[in-house]
Amino acid sequence: MEVNAEARRILAVSISKLYASRTQRGGLRLHRSLLVSLVMRSARDIYHASRESEAPGAPTPQEPMDSSPSSEEQKQLPPQEAEPAQTEPQCALSPAPQTAVEAEECACDSEITEDKENMSPAARQSRKRRSKASAAPDFLPSKRARLEPGEERYAAPLGSCRVGASCITSCLFPHNSACCASL
Amino acid sequence: MAGVAGGNDFQWCFSQVKGAIDEDVAEADIISTVEFNYSGELLATGDKGGRVVIFQHEQESKSRPHLRGEYNVYSTFQSHEPEFDYLKSLEIEEKINKIRWLPQQNAAHFLLSTNDKTIKLWKISERDKRAEGYNLKDEDGRLRDPFRITSLRVPVLMPMDLMVEASPRRIFANAHTYHINSISVNSDHETYLSADDLRINLWHLEITDRSFNIVDIKPANMEELTEVITAAECHPHQCNVFVYSSSKGTIRLCDMRAAALCDRHSKFFEEPEDPSSRSFFSEIISSISDVKFSHSGRYMMTRDYLSVKVWDLNMENRPVETYQVHEYLRSKLCSLYENDCIFDKFECCWNGSDSAIMTGSYNNFFRMFDRNTRRDITLEASRESSKPRATLKPRKVSTGGKRKKDEISVDSLDFNKKILHTAWHPKDNVIAVAATNNLYIFQDKIN
């Protein structure tokens, strides 16, 4: 139980660090973001493991979380579980800045969601038109090339994204490609 | 020879301190790198404001030959300015990440200084003579009236007050997408390498518009990124060999003769992790912050958050020596994560004979380890012990319940006073320790 609480606290601290690093001078520090994301992953794994050991018979607990400040970081967990409902670029790009930005705003959510109504805002985003929300995180200016007549716009491979965007997403969701590739 | 512990035969004492005394430290004045040149005559510091200050060792005075000379300011210049990357809408900090001297080949001195994106080669030269007696000009520069010139004279070189000029001779830019963490001059004195988080480039000192990419660990899909390059250094004698360390606590030694792209290492150094000490922060504290070859080229030393390790280049599976710098912090990792101290990148250095190593810690403490006697000592860089030639008293951090008289408890340590950068004179027992905005110079007590 104590491990659980510590894991949650570390998750909260880590998210605020990632969020703060977006605005620091000199740009996103790749090394530091990677280390923070590793800590977050350890904390998340331990948190999951301890929750599973608490309720071993419940495959998808539907009960809502308590309204506590620390439940805000559960934002990170729903996008993971809700992945099957999203397309690949979405789960890569949109949850990260969305969850960071909305951590303070949103009320608590249920931890594991199959329930559309209670999907995290990030997951719900997939139904919005892509042009606005998905192309780049909101803190980077949007620069899309002008198309020649007859050319089609296609989804850019993730690896070629600006360093800033891809760093955050890659740091937060290193397993994304594995999850989405299995669809 | 450097004996480390405060025995009867060897002690460290205060020599000088450079920098302002006020409590309010301007961020731009924080020293970010310290480096002696090859002879030890010059000592360069770089700061967060992009400035480089070079100190020169004065000759010992004839009247008091038993005292070592002092280091005085020789040259100060603005190496890097803040820049803005318009394409990415990101600021590029002017902070000097590293300075490396070139071996001296003529009267001028050359050094490489780098910020996150651009490396510059600076020439520092002295001018102590001025030509006087021009035919067409007066001494104040005004043109002489041609009708007044009745005879021809040869200009004579007259002494003038010494002027030290620093001029940028080469600018090596636009080769790094990520932040540069290391530069290292090769033993061929013609090339050098620069390393960022994911790539290492090899440059020729004369050529600024091209560089060879020799290591690239960027994955095709950035989401698969698991480690970054944290430091790199050229071997001191073999110009084809270099090493780079990673955030996973591993070191790779590469041979440039094997292939153009050295993605496959020749040697891979890693110590197996102790499973009993696993925690949330195991990965962070195993990240290597500095790697340095010994002067002999036989060993290399790595610094991670809690320890310094010495590796024999012939043995890849574990280090030959491990020294704990501040093991008492292991139980405090969670707080150190919250206050960001766990991300501090400490450097380490060898003494001239490779018999001792030094690294910094918190509370303005720095640690020295004697490799032969296995003794270690903790000293403090503070204004209180800054009387000329005052012997430094060894410090101790109390780890158990009972705190002895002169010990300091872990909770009283000031984590804002960190010594990240230290340098050891290549020949003598003189050390330079950067404590935030102050540079302390200590030397051995000559009995």
Side-chain angles (χ1 to χ4, degrees):
Chain A
M1 208 42 224
E2 223 177 82
V3 169
N4 203 357
E6 203 197 352
R8 282 214 317 239
R9 187 160 134 252
I10 289 173
L11 270 173
V13 168
S14 305
I15 290 179
S16 67
K17 281 190 194 302
L18 278 176
Y19 186 47
S21 69
R22 286 165 45 180
T23 52
Q24 81 184 82
R25 232 184 132 219
L28 203 70
R29 299 268 156 190
L30 185 60
H31 183 201
R32 192 191 143 105
S33 306
L34 179 68
L35 294 178
V36 172
S37 71
L38 290 173
V39 169
M40 274 180 60
R41 204 198 315 177
S42 301
R44 190 195 76 205
D45 292 344
I46 291 179
Y47 180 78
H48 274 311
S50 68
R51 279 204 69 90
E52 271 166 35
S53 63
E54 276 167 32
T60 57
Q62 296 274 345
E63 70 278 6
M65 292 285 295
D66 306 342
S67 266
S68 59
S70 59
S71 71
E72 280 156 12
E73 63 271 16
Q74 302 317 318
K75 288 292 145 296
Q76 290 301 326
L77 308 176
Q80 298 287 346
E81 270 62 55
E83 264 154 22
Q86 303 172 47
T87 56
E88 188 192 2
Q90 287 296 16
C91 61
L93 287 170
S94 57
Q98 293 296 340
T99 51
V101 168
E102 286 168 350
E104 295 98 38
E105 298 164 26
C106 295
C108 57
D109 256 352
S110 53
E111 184 195 41
I112 296 177
T113 62
E114 297 220 338
D115 180 347
K116 272 198 183 170
E117 224 180 307
N118 287 339
M119 245 189 209
S120 77
R124 260 186 270 129
Q125 211 78 329
S126 57
R127 287 172 16 218
K128 286 192 182 163
R129 255 176 275 144
R130 287 184 62 190
S131 60
K132 212 159 176 221
S134 67
D138 50 13
F139 62 93
L140 287 177
S142 165
K143 291 193 170 100
R144 293 174 76 92
R146 209 186 57 210
L147 293 178
E148 299 301 314
E151 258 189 18
E152 261 189 326
R153 196 177 293 279
Y154 59 94
L158 284 170
S160 69
C161 285
R162 287 184 202 87
V163 169
S166 56
C167 285
I168 293 180
T169 60
S170 64
C171 293
L172 284 177
F173 299 101
H175 293 314
N176 258 357
S177 53
C179 296
C180 298
S182 64
L183 297 176
Chain B
M1 280 293 144
V4 172
N8 289 334
D9 51 355
F10 188 82
Q11 287 182 318
W12 288 97
C13 61
F14 172 82
S15 173
Q16 296 171 271
V17 60
K18 307 283 188 192
I21 308 180
D22 357 297
E23 283 300 313
D24 260 337
V25 178
E27 174 136 1
D29 293 335
I30 296 175
I31 298 170
S32 51
T33 184
V34 184
E35 186 81 356
F36 280 101
N37 75 338
Y38 281 76
S39 63
E41 183 209 352
L42 298 179
L43 174 61
T45 61
D47 65 21
K48 278 196 172 183
R51 288 166 304 205
V52 171
V53 180
I54 301 177
F55 302 92
Q56 184 187 41
H57 188 235
E58 301 291 343
Q59 293 300 323
E60 286 83 4
S61 67
K62 291 194 170 58
S63 57
R64 300 158 91 186
H66 57 285
L67 287 180
R68 267 195 233 282
E70 289 196 331
Y71 281 88
N72 296 320
V73 178
Y74 180 64
S75 173
T76 303
F77 56 93
Q78 186 76 34
S79 170
H80 287 72
E81 298 274 1
E83 286 174 59
F84 195 76
D85 179 338
Y86 297 99
L87 210 55
K88 295 180 186 166
S89 296
L90 291 173
E91 261 197 278
I92 300 171
E93 282 188 289
E94 66 278 27
K95 169 168 91 90
I96 307 294
N97 291 335
K98 285 282 168 7
I99 289 174
R100 289 287 181 262
W101 290 92
L102 264 56
Q104 192 175 8
Q105 287 170 334
N106 53 36
H109 297 277
F110 289 87
L111 61 77
L112 287 169
S113 69
T114 186
N115 69 349
D116 284 337
K117 297 287 180 182
T118 304
I119 306 136
K120 295 187 184 181
L121 175 70
W122 287 89
K123 175 181 179 183
I124 296 106
S125 48
E126 290 183 5
R127 189 195 293 249
D128 62 355
K129 291 185 187 49
R130 186 180 58 214
E132 280 177 27
Y134 286 102
N135 289 293
L136 300 177
K137 277 192 303 193
D138 274 340
E139 292 317 314
D140 50 9
R142 279 184 307 185
L143 290 175
R144 286 172 77 191
D145 191 357
F147 297 108
R148 300 263 174 96
I149 303 172
T150 51
S151 62
L152 206 58
R153 58 186 175 171
V154 177
V156 179
L157 288 175
M158 301 296 289
M160 61 178 250
D161 288 339
L162 179 66
M163 202 166 73
V164 181
E165 300 170 316
S167 59
R169 304 303 286 179
R170 304 271 185 278
I171 297 183
F172 304 91
N174 300 319
H176 286 281
T177 308
Y178 302 96
H179 296 114
I180 296 174
N181 52 55
S182 313
I183 47 174
S184 179
V185 181
N186 207 346
S187 54
D188 62 11
H189 302 164
E190 284 188 353
T191 57
Y192 75 95
L193 61 74
S194 60
D196 66 31
D197 292 319
L198 297 178
R199 298 191 178 100
I200 301 180
N201 293 332
L202 183 72
W203 301 84
H204 191 284
L205 285 164
E206 298 291 329
I207 300 170
T208 59
D209 60 354
R210 277 169 300 176
S211 68
F212 287 106
N213 174 242
I214 53 177
V215 173
D216 188 340
I217 63 168
K218 183 177 176 182
N221 183 356
M222 275 297 274
E223 296 189 335
E224 289 160 7
L225 181 74
T226 53
E227 71 183 319
V228 296
I229 297 169
T230 52
E233 201 180 39
C234 291
H235 191 277
H237 311 307
Q238 296 169 32
C239 59
N240 52 298
V241 171
F242 66 95
V243 290
Y244 68 93
S245 60
S246 84
S247 54
K248 276 190 170 172
T250 64
I251 309 100
R252 288 170 177 81
L253 185 143
C254 299
D255 186 332
M256 288 190 268
R257 297 171 303 188
L261 190 62
C262 301
D263 277 356
R264 292 176 58 194
H265 50 263
S266 300
K267 293 195 184 190
F268 182 73
F269 298 84
E270 185 179 31
E271 182 173 32
E273 193 195 345
D274 174 14
S276 63
S277 64
R278 190 123 181 81
S279 77
F280 287 117
F281 307 104
S282 299
E283 277 131 339
I284 299 193
I285 62 170
S286 66
S287 176
I288 291 174
S289 52
D290 194 15
V291 65
K292 292 262 172 43
F293 278 107
S294 64
H295 292 92
S296 64
R298 166 93 194 269
Y299 299 96
M300 68 177 174
M301 163 168 58
T302 56
R303 174 71 155 100
D304 51 65
Y305 190 63
L306 296 179
S307 67
V308 187
K309 297 179 180 172
V310 174
W311 303 77
D312 184 324
L313 292 189
N314 298 316
M315 187 161 77
E316 298 169 53
N317 61 347
R318 60 177 175 79
V320 289
E321 296 153 32
T322 301
Y323 302 95
Q324 300 302 331
V325 181
H326 37 217
E327 182 68 14
Y328 47 80
L329 295 182
R330 195 181 285 273
S331 54
K332 310 273 177 198
L333 293 180
C334 196
S335 329
L336 293 166
Y337 179 69
E338 286 178 36
N339 66 13
D340 279 351
C341 285
I342 207 173
F343 300 106
D344 287 335
K345 296 191 176 155
F346 291 94
E347 292 174 8
C348 52
C349 59
W350 298 85
N351 72 341
S353 60
D354 298 337
S355 63
I357 58 183
M358 169 167 64
T359 190
S361 178
Y362 294 103
N363 209 69
N364 277 355
F365 287 172
F366 57 100
R367 304 262 284 138
M368 284 186 198
F369 303 94
D370 186 318
R371 297 178 63 215
N372 299 325
T373 63
R374 294 306 176 116
R375 287 198 295 202
D376 62 273
I377 190 170
T378 305
L379 299 171
E380 184 181 0
S382 75
R383 292 275 173 177
E384 282 75 40
S385 49
S386 301
K387 295 171 199 43
R389 294 187 300 287
T391 305
L392 293 182
K393 208 177 74 170
R395 305 302 311 260
K396 192 142 167 52
V397 176
S398 73
T399 48
K402 282 192 179 168
R403 189 174 70 88
K404 294 191 196 118
K405 195 169 77 95
D406 280 333
E407 289 183 354
I408 181 167
S409 73
V410 181
D411 298 313
S412 322
L413 293 174
D414 186 344
F415 289 96
N416 291 319
K417 292 188 179 170
K418 48 192 87 170
I419 292 182
L420 304 173
H421 312 287
T422 59
W424 205 313
H425 190 287
K427 298 182 178 72
D428 298 335
N429 286 324
V430 177
I431 55 176
V433 172
T436 317
N437 62 327
N438 290 147
L439 183 73
Y440 286 82
I441 299 174
F442 302 107
Q443 61 189 42
D444 62 348
K445 203 176 195 67
I446 303 173
N447 293 317

